[in-house]
Amino acid sequence: MASSNEYRKLSIKDALKAKKSFVKDAIETINELDKNIKAFITVNENAQDVPGNFSGIPLAIKDNIVVKEMKTTCGSKILETFVSPYDATVVEKLKKAGFSIVGKTNLDEFAMGTSTEYSAFYTTRNPWDLDRVAGGSSGGSAAAVASGEVVAALGSDTGGSIRQPAAFCGVVGFKPTYGLVSRYGLIAFASSLDQIGPITKTVEDAALLTQIISGKDPRDATTVEKQIDFSKYIGKNFKNICVAYPEEVFAEGIDNEIARKFEEFIKFLESLEISVKKINFPELKYAVATYYIIAPAEVSSNLSRFDGIRYGLREEKEGLLETYLETRKNGFGPEVIRRIMIGTFTLSAAYYDAYFERAQKVRRKISSKINEILSNYDFLITPTSPITAFKIGEIKDPLVYYMMDIFTIPANLAGLPAISIPFGFSNNLPVGMQIIGKRFDDAKVLGFADFIEQTSPYNTNGRFPTPLEEEEK
């Protein structure tokens, strides 16, 4: 059995080289650390090695992705006791490859949030500072990887829910091109925006996991037949390329320290003989408003199935309508109710044209603008988040909360690949930088991120330091 220190630093590549099982190490580490971090909703204490090329490597799965014979709660009281009778496609593929699922991670209820404060059970804490949030909605997955509880994890990303917590926790978070990874078994939030992806310690690990979970799935009509070697550009040199950043990045709302780190990032890229150009992206300011019309509208539709009749919480009342109302009132938390109400309002006959139809038109404009930028440049870069991890309970205003997604939302609206990679610290808290690429250019996005990771002054041998390593210094 590995020592605690050795295990917590492992990447998937390291674990493969070791040729031994780390499943028990994972469970022991979770039992030791998670009473403080609270990354997990369910721990699979009976997890065993699974035959396959990656046998003995423990992974965690965000708790809105179903795993057979394990609870899938979506961080909600309405599904608190639901046990899935089947595996999601991505879970099937991971098990077939030999990975062991050691637990399901905490999230904002139904993936609606950016801090995991909206989980019905508890708030996940940031491993770098336990008084701060881990981000969201995949905060549990990001915290589990950053703390070394698991080697890697899966999350889901609707408006930044993989990339933002990865940035807050100092790990790698990758959202693949929409349609490359099956959503079968992902409990839907906003179907035109949702995408499953990996949260890992290295970019190479992210490429490896994406290779395994991607592919056409007859059970998900939005998946595409596209053969991609996600590791094709890992280890390649990306000098002499040209990247762009929006001048709007420095608009009001971005933390001064994040702005300084982004300027440092630009200078770092230029030192690698990469051309970095400032461009105009005025449509960026409409991204959050557009998202928060389209996403809640899809929520209103997708969450109508949770009615207490077929599965989950059921508050029995005299009449059917009364049963529906009582079940949903007691089963859903405040943020989910807020978004259902917004979505139902914008889809109503009187306001459909004024809000939802108009938002769809703006979505097309934003997508067209990003695609136009990427037709002239190799990548678009931004900070992942305009702020670092904030203190638990610090942000009360929903509008301030929603604006944290301003840099991550555009990739979802356009269905493009995007990755967050660590780039140093601000006030001892991790900072993430985002790279967005052309549709189906996932391998190049991963390759460029790997090139940065390997040359970054903040990495040691291509590995971002974990909280444990910082303590040891």
Side-chain angles (χ1 to χ4, degrees), residues 236-243 263-276 378-379 381 421-423 435 447-459:
K236 302 294 184 185
N237 192 312
F238 275 78
K239 291 180 180 178
N240 301 317
I241 66 168
C242 190
V243 304
E263 288 170 344
E264 181 188 343
F265 184 60
I266 290 169
K267 289 176 183 175
F268 165 70
L269 294 180
E270 290 173 337
S271 75
L272 297 174
E273 300 175 36
I274 292 168
S275 175
V276 184
D378 293 285
F379 304 103
I381 59 169
I421 53 173
F423 192 76
I435 302 162
F448 182 44
D450 175 70
F451 176 65
I452 294 169
E453 182 181 78
Q454 299 302 328
T455 52
S456 170
Y458 298 106
N459 288 356

Side-chain angles (χ1 to χ4, degrees), residues 168-450:
F168 276 15
C169 292
V171 289
V172 174
F174 178 55
K175 184 199 85 69
T177 295
Y178 183 84
L180 286 182
V181 178
S182 173
R183 292 179 297 110
Y184 178 77
L186 169 68
I187 296 177
F189 165 4
S191 303
S192 74
L193 300 163
D194 296 341
Q195 188 64 92
I196 295 171
I199 295 176
T200 57
K201 295 173 187 171
T202 68
V203 176
E204 187 174 6
D205 279 2
L208 189 155
L209 277 184
T210 307
Q211 192 74 54
I212 293 168
I213 64 175
S214 65
K216 177 73 174 173
D217 182 5
R219 296 172 295 188
D220 178 0
T222 64
T223 53
V224 294
E225 192 73 63
K226 195 80 175 175
Q227 298 298 320
I228 296 175
D229 178 359
F230 292 92
S231 298
K232 182 177 179 179
Y233 296 97
I234 298 295
K236 302 294 184 185
N237 192 312
F238 275 78
K239 291 180 180 178
N240 301 317
I241 66 168
C242 190
V243 304
Y245 71 91
E247 63 180 357
E248 290 80 6
V249 159
F250 296 103
E252 186 178 351
I254 186 172
D255 181 82
N256 288 335
E257 282 298 313
I258 297 292
R260 277 194 281 271
K261 290 302 294 184
F262 188 58
E263 288 170 344
E264 181 188 343
F265 184 60
I266 290 169
K267 289 176 183 175
F268 165 70
L269 294 180
E270 290 173 337
S271 75
L272 297 174
E273 300 175 36
I274 292 168
S275 175
V276 184
K277 301 293 184 183
K278 179 170 67 176
I279 52 97
N280 186 248
F281 187 4
E283 293 85 352
L284 180 64
K285 65 184 175 185
Y286 301 116
V288 173
T290 301
Y291 174 87
Y292 280 101
I293 292 172
I294 292 172
E298 296 189 27
V299 165
S300 174
S301 174
N302 280 325
L303 268 61
S304 63
R305 73 194 67 178
F306 300 105
D307 53 14
I309 303 303
R310 288 159 290 187
Y311 46 76
L313 177 70
R314 180 187 180 101
E315 296 284 7
E316 193 77 57
K317 294 295 175 182
E318 283 186 20
L320 187 61
L321 179 60
E322 289 78 11
T323 297
Y324 286 160
L325 294 175
E326 194 69 16
T327 297
R328 290 168 70 82
K329 182 183 78 172
N330 294 335
F332 291 141
E335 183 62 22
V336 171
I337 291 172
R338 182 184 293 122
R339 297 199 196 191
I340 290 173
M341 291 177 69
I342 292 170
T344 304
F345 173 80
T346 58
L347 288 177
S348 62
Y351 297 101
Y352 183 90
D353 290 343
Y355 290 100
F356 186 75
E357 185 64 29
R358 197 172 177 187
Q360 292 285 31
K361 291 176 181 177
V362 177
R363 179 181 186 173
R364 286 193 289 273
K365 284 184 176 292
I366 293 169
S367 298
S368 296
K369 181 63 176 181
I370 299 176
N371 288 326
E372 177 192 325
I373 293 167
L374 291 170
S375 69
N376 297 310
Y377 299 93
D378 293 285
F379 304 103
L380 182 65
I381 59 169
T382 71
T384 306
S385 169
I387 61 172
T388 52
F390 53 92
K391 287 192 174 181
I392 294 168
E394 183 179 356
I395 295 179
K396 305 293 187 185
D397 185 344
L399 295 181
V400 174
Y401 194 78
Y402 295 165
M403 285 304 294
M404 284 187 282
D405 298 332
I406 188 166
F407 300 136
T408 52
I409 281 173
N412 296 85
L413 293 175
L416 302 176
I419 193 168
S420 177
I421 53 173
F423 192 76
F425 298 84
S426 170
N427 298 319
N428 297 317
L429 295 169
V431 175
M433 296 297 161
Q434 178 179 230
I435 302 162
I436 302 173
K438 301 179 185 70
R439 186 164 168 78
F440 301 125
D441 259 6
D442 300 57
K444 288 183 180 177
V445 170
L446 288 159
F448 182 44
D450 175 70

Side-chain angles (χ1 to χ4, degrees), residues 116-169:
T116 69
E117 290 174 296
Y118 286 113
S119 167
F121 307 117
Y122 35 74
T123 299
T124 297
R125 296 174 179 271
N126 194 309
W128 295 93
D129 182 343
L130 296 177
D131 292 329
R132 295 180 183 269
V133 301
S137 62
S138 307
S141 289
V145 174
S147 63
E149 291 179 315
V150 289
V151 177
L154 287 192
S156 66
D157 193 308
T158 308
S161 286
I162 287 173
R163 290 160 287 155
Q164 186 256 23
F168 276 15
C169 292

